[in-house]
Amino acid sequence: MPLLRLLIRLLPWILVITVGIFIWRSFKDFFGDEEEPAVSVNYNTILTSVEELGKMELVRYNFKDVVEYKKEVSRYIPDSKVVLIVAGEAVGCVDFTKIEPGDIVFEGDSIVQIALPKPELCYYKIDHSQSKVFSKENTYFQDAELVEESFKYAEQNVKRAALSSGILRQTTENAEKILKPMLEEITGKRVVLVPQRRIQKPELPRKL
């Protein structure tokens, strides 16, 4: 249906605009009495690409860890070892571009069911500005290679730690807390969020 397809395409932008208006209203009074200094800016901006925005970040986990990375070189000499002090982060999100027309079902005039896509681990990474090499032992002139390997291992450890800490479950819970009130205000209906492909379609009346 054209209305459903239009709603699906506009949903991410409506959410972004709503959040922007809320933030602006919250802070305009706080900054309104301050006199803004005159600023002169010269710029020449070139648009290089336009990307469709559909993912909404709903939770961020921050990690601090001490990582010991060992690598066996030979049974005749001691193993190489690098110890890192690592700071990292992982972000959980929901990708609205995966919503299909059948994922939005209206029940009468007061209820709308929206099937949300599964939560995702949007990204995970090491914050190198907050991380450092604590010690190196028996690197045998392969310092750069071993440090690079140890940071890659630490980055995968951030992913494992985020998943084992329940970041996907927390993403789902935050979607319920954040999106449901926003969508109800936008649609003027009671919104029921359900996992994608589990939506309950209303039964059609039987013909006599």
Side-chain angles (χ1 to χ4, degrees):
M1 295 171 59
L3 178 60
L4 291 179
R5 289 196 293 269
L6 179 61
L7 180 59
I8 292 169
R9 291 182 179 178
L10 293 180
L11 185 58
W13 294 105
I14 292 174
L15 294 176
V16 172
I17 292 171
T18 303
V19 172
I21 293 174
F22 174 78
I23 295 173
W24 177 75
R25 287 180 177 175
S26 300
F27 289 93
K28 70 172 183 177
D29 294 334
F30 181 79
F31 294 104
D33 296 334
E34 296 184 4
E35 183 178 352
E36 297 183 0
V39 178
S40 178
V41 180
N42 295 320
Y43 61 90
N44 184 17
T45 304
I46 300 175
L47 179 63
T48 57
S49 66
V50 177
E51 297 182 6
E52 183 179 358
L53 299 179
K55 293 185 178 181
M56 184 174 188
E57 297 180 3
L58 293 166
V59 63
R60 175 180 287 107
Y61 280 16
N62 297 307
F63 295 93
K64 284 276 190 180
D65 197 6
V66 177
V67 177
E68 183 179 280
Y69 180 78
K70 284 186 177 181
K71 184 175 183 180
E72 182 180 355
V73 180
S74 170
R75 60 180 178 176
Y76 301 108
I77 58 178
D79 294 343
S80 300
K81 184 172 73 172
V82 176
V83 179
L84 306 175
I85 298 176
V86 174
E89 66 178 35
V91 172
C93 66
V94 171
D95 188 355
F96 289 103
T97 62
K98 294 182 179 179
I99 294 180
E100 301 174 356
D103 295 327
I104 300 177
V105 173
F106 293 90
E107 296 184 5
D109 298 328
S110 59
I111 300 176
V112 57
Q113 285 194 63
I114 300 178
L116 290 182
K118 292 181 180 180
E120 302 177 8
L121 188 60
C122 233
Y123 65 84
Y124 54 93
K125 64 180 182 179
I126 297 295
D127 184 354
H128 289 277
S129 65
Q130 301 295 323
S131 305
K132 64 179 180 180
V133 178
F134 182 73
S135 67
K136 293 178 287 186
E137 297 179 12
N138 308 318
T139 55
Y140 309 110
F141 306 103
Q142 299 182 25
D143 297 48
E145 179 182 344
L146 287 171
V147 169
E148 183 179 358
E149 289 179 7
S150 60
F151 269 116
K152 287 181 179 179
Y153 173 83
E155 189 171 61
Q156 290 300 315
N157 198 45
V158 168
K159 177 184 179 180
R160 288 190 291 268
L163 293 174
S164 64
S165 299
I167 190 171
L168 298 182
R169 183 186 69 252
Q170 189 65 52
T171 301
T172 300
E173 292 176 1
N174 285 7
E176 182 77 19
K177 293 176 183 177
I178 297 171
L179 295 178
K180 189 174 184 293
M182 292 171 56
L183 292 173
E184 288 180 338
E185 184 176 351
I186 292 169
T187 62
K189 301 178 184 293
R190 185 166 74 86
V191 173
V192 179
L193 301 178
V194 297
Q196 202 168 37
R197 296 180 180 84
R198 292 185 185 177
I199 197 164
Q200 298 295 322
K201 297 184 179 180
E203 295 183 3
L204 297 175
R206 296 181 180 178
K207 293 183 179 180
L208 298 178

